[in-house]
Amino acid sequence: MSEFWIYFQIGLKHVLDIHAYDHVLFLIALAVPFSFKDWKRIVLLVTLFTIGHTMALLLSIFGIIAIKVNVVELLIPITILITAFYNLFTAGKSSKKESISVVFFITLFFGIIHGLGFSNYFKSILGGSATSKLLPLGEFALGIEAAQIVVVFVVLVLSYIVQTVFRFSKRDWTLVMSAFIIGVVLPMIVESEIWIR
């Protein structure tokens, strides 16, 4: 049980690390267009993101996929930027079934990209064979899922407060938060090490 808590806490800290806030930024961008009545949809999106993240770690552990760190470090803020821009263009519009399935697929794919960013560190903290890393990987994934649900819950509470107390429309709240996220993420892309030759 103590081992479970070790990897579960690593998962929690991975998401809630104040110095690596890209994960939280992505979750904010993902959750901001939703409200409490959409909880099933947002939980499904969060779970798909966790599945993608875990798939990337799994592929990395078994040596199936390897990608340069600086490429992943550029792709992660790009996924956040795309999500925030998607919010800008869809804010206030009714969600269609087709676009939701596309969002689900893209969220899964973005989860894979974010997982690749953590794969080298994850492999370095685990010794032994690839198969011996499966249980810790599952425990880590549960920690990630729990932390992500906490972040999304906080975003939904803030959304509720802003929309009921401060009388922001859902559309305006989505636009303001998405613009803020874009403002934070653009410097991350511009200052990426990939541009340094």
Side-chain angles (χ1 to χ4, degrees):
M1 194 64 178
S2 63
E3 250 191 49
F4 169 83
W5 282 113
I6 289 167
Y7 295 110
F8 184 83
Q9 285 180 333
I10 291 171
L12 281 175
K13 288 174 185 169
H14 171 60
V15 175
L16 302 174
D17 181 3
I18 196 74
H19 302 293
Y21 51 87
D22 54 349
H23 206 128
V24 172
L25 275 179
F26 180 79
L27 290 168
I28 294 169
L30 196 65
V32 101
F34 296 99
S35 56
F36 278 111
K37 66 180 173 57
D38 307 309
W39 71 270
K40 285 182 184 172
R41 193 179 298 166
I42 189 64
V43 166
L44 181 57
L45 282 170
V46 165
T47 303
L48 282 169
F49 186 77
T50 304
I51 290 167
H53 198 282
T54 307
M55 279 170 52
L57 293 176
L58 200 60
L59 293 169
S60 176
I61 285 168
F62 283 96
I64 297 166
I65 192 167
I67 191 164
K68 288 183 179 175
V69 175
N70 60 352
V71 173
V72 178
E73 293 301 320
L74 174 66
L75 289 176
I76 288 172
I78 288 173
T79 64
I80 302 165
L81 186 70
I82 290 168
T83 307
F85 267 117
Y86 178 80
N87 291 344
L88 287 182
F89 290 109
T90 59
K93 294 177 184 169
S94 61
S95 56
K96 295 174 186 161
K97 295 279 186 223
E98 311 89 58
S99 65
I100 292 302
S101 58
V102 170
V103 170
F104 287 165
F105 176 76
I106 290 169
T107 303
L108 179 72
F109 179 69
F110 285 178
I112 293 170
I113 292 170
H114 283 247
L116 289 171
F118 193 68
S119 60
N120 286 336
Y121 174 74
F122 190 77
K123 282 193 290 189
S124 74
I125 62 172
L126 290 174
S129 66
T131 51
S132 70
K133 296 174 184 176
L134 292 177
L135 185 61
L137 177 59
E139 295 160 349
F140 172 76
L142 287 173
I144 285 203
E145 182 76 356
Q148 290 183 155
I149 288 171
V150 167
V151 171
V152 166
F153 180 75
V154 169
V155 172
L156 293 178
V157 167
L158 280 174
S159 296
Y160 178 79
I161 291 168
V162 166
Q163 290 173 53
T164 54
V165 177
F166 299 104
R167 300 286 181 206
F168 261 65
S169 70
K170 187 176 178 181
R171 179 182 175 274
D172 288 349
W173 167 247
T174 304
L175 291 173
V176 167
M177 287 305 293
S178 298
F180 167 76
I181 291 164
I182 290 166
V184 173
V185 165
L186 277 175
M188 291 166 74
I189 294 168
V190 172
E191 294 163 15
S192 172
E193 288 180 14
I194 206 162
W195 311 121
I196 301 164
R197 299 221 176 236

